[in-house]
Amino acid sequence: SKPTIKIQDDGSIEIKGDFILLDDDGNTYKHRDRIKLCRCGQSRTKPYCDNSHVDSDFQSKFRLSEGQQVRAYCFTGERRRK
């Protein structure tokens, strides 16, 4: 199924569907159809979320404003110059 990515309020990033998760060396993380990635930086199981955000009082809510567009970033491995 098509992957979906949800930024959860005060919590993790949830990814569902068919996708491949790689580390910087190209190694594949094994998973099923759904994972949660840490956003708070406190997880002991990074890159996965272990719900440490609850005890760390992590707070972050992301919303797009009406008409706001998500800026696409270049994923070529090279830094884009301004």
Side-chain angles (χ1 to χ4, degrees), residues 29-45:
Y29 284 93
K30 294 184 181 189
H31 63 83
R32 295 219 153 106
D33 296 356
R34 177 178 169 260
I35 62 170
K36 291 184 178 183
L37 298 177
C38 176
R39 258 190 343 132
C40 73
Q42 302 301 312
S43 176
R44 291 176 301 278
T45 60

Side-chain angles (χ1 to χ4, degrees), residues 4-15 37 39 58 60-64 70:
T4 59
I5 301 170
K6 180 180 180 185
I7 302 169
Q8 300 190 67
D9 287 350
D10 304 330
S12 62
I13 296 174
E14 181 179 62
I15 307 173
L37 298 177
R39 258 190 343 132
F58 177 72
S60 176
K61 291 179 176 57
F62 180 80
R63 298 290 186 276
L64 289 176
V70 176

